Amino acid sequence: MAEVNLKCSCGQIRGTAWDIVPHAGTRVVCYCEDCQAYARHLGQAETVLDEYGGTDIFQTAPAHMTITQGKEHIRSLRLTPKGPFRWYAGCCRMPIANTGPAKLPFAGVITAFMDIPGDRDRVLGPVGWYLQGKYATKPLPPGRKIVDFPASLLVRLFWNIFVWKLKGLGKPNPFFDENGTPISKPEKVFERNRG
Ligand SMILES: [Zn+2]
Ligand SMILES: [Zn+2]
């Protein structure tokens, strides 16, 4: 049951995540403009984005993670009115995770928020999917197929979310209270023209 420590850059926010293993979740790198804007808005392009503008994300159930320290520093933003909640550390502006509303049992944890010494692939397994490659900041190396949302990922993700819902793993959710209210009201960062 691979357990992973969670830590923001300055160390004020800490927690733990479980079942962060390939058979229990999905690991993706997303190149979409919004994931890039999220990192850039927080001034974390250097820490979070790979050399092609990709964000490494492990998609899991909210109940698979807990914040044990510094929860009061967690903030959120939205880049579009209906877009995901994008959580981050108010203390050091480290991106933490993307979630839907409280009723969706889903959390895409930014793996930079995971405190993994050494080789990430050893713990998380290899990246399963590279998403929205057309937005990469430079041509991707061969082998990273340019797809928007691959059907194989959607099937896995919908199945996982279905199972997490059945198992009640949408709660507890570190980002929402019992009533489904976000622990920090999202700041609206609607900075780009949407094409
Ligand atoms: Zn994205
Ligand atoms: Zn911090």
Side-chain angles (χ1 to χ4, degrees):
M1 74 149 226
E3 193 177 297
V4 165
N5 290 325
L6 304 172
K7 184 165 88 64
C8 66
S9 335
C10 77
Q12 291 192 73
I13 301 175
R14 286 170 193 267
T16 312
W18 304 271
D19 277 347
I20 307 300
V21 288
H23 65 264
T26 37
R27 186 179 174 199
V28 303
V29 168
C30 187
Y31 297 98
C32 85
E33 290 176 304
D34 283 356
C35 285
Q36 291 190 41
Y38 172 37
R40 293 214 173 89
H41 175 76
L42 295 173
Q44 299 294 323
E46 299 283 305
T47 19
V48 172
L49 302 180
D50 71 16
E51 60 178 309
Y52 307 97
T55 303
D56 192 336
I57 300 167
F58 195 93
Q59 300 168 322
T60 185
H64 282 162
M65 62 187 293
T66 180
I67 300 297
T68 52
Q69 189 186 310
K71 198 164 175 172
E72 69 277 12
H73 297 302
I74 294 180
R75 300 285 177 271
S76 72
L77 61 86
R78 286 180 121 165
L79 295 165
T80 57
K82 299 212 163 159
F85 288 81
R86 294 178 183 268
W87 302 93
Y88 68 95
C91 38
C92 55
R93 298 182 75 77
M94 160 75 91
I96 293 177
N98 303 312
T99 71
K103 62 180 189 290
L104 184 75
F106 170 86
V109 186
I110 311 304
T111 69
F113 180 59
M114 296 177 174
D115 189 20
I116 300 175
D119 183 11
R120 277 162 189 267
D121 291 4
R122 184 179 46 85
V123 177
L124 304 174
V127 173
W129 291 271
Y130 294 90
L131 309 181
Q132 308 261 28
K134 66 183 172 206
Y135 298 111
T137 50
K138 59 182 180 179
L140 293 175
R144 293 194 191 179
K145 267 177 47 187
I146 299 176
V147 273
D148 287 348
F149 284 103
S152 60
L153 172 65
L154 288 183
V155 169
R156 267 290 296 279
L157 202 52
F158 282 133
W159 172 253
N160 283 346
I161 288 173
F162 173 73
V163 171
W164 294 334
K165 189 136 205 153
L166 279 186
K167 290 182 170 173
L169 293 176
K171 281 184 180 180
N173 186 323
F175 307 109
F176 297 89
D177 70 14
E178 273 300 301
N179 305 315
T181 308
I183 58 165
S184 148
K185 194 166 180 270
E187 178 197 346
K188 293 176 182 151
V189 187
F190 306 158
E191 58 189 11
R192 293 179 308 107
N193 289 325
R194 311 284 303 171

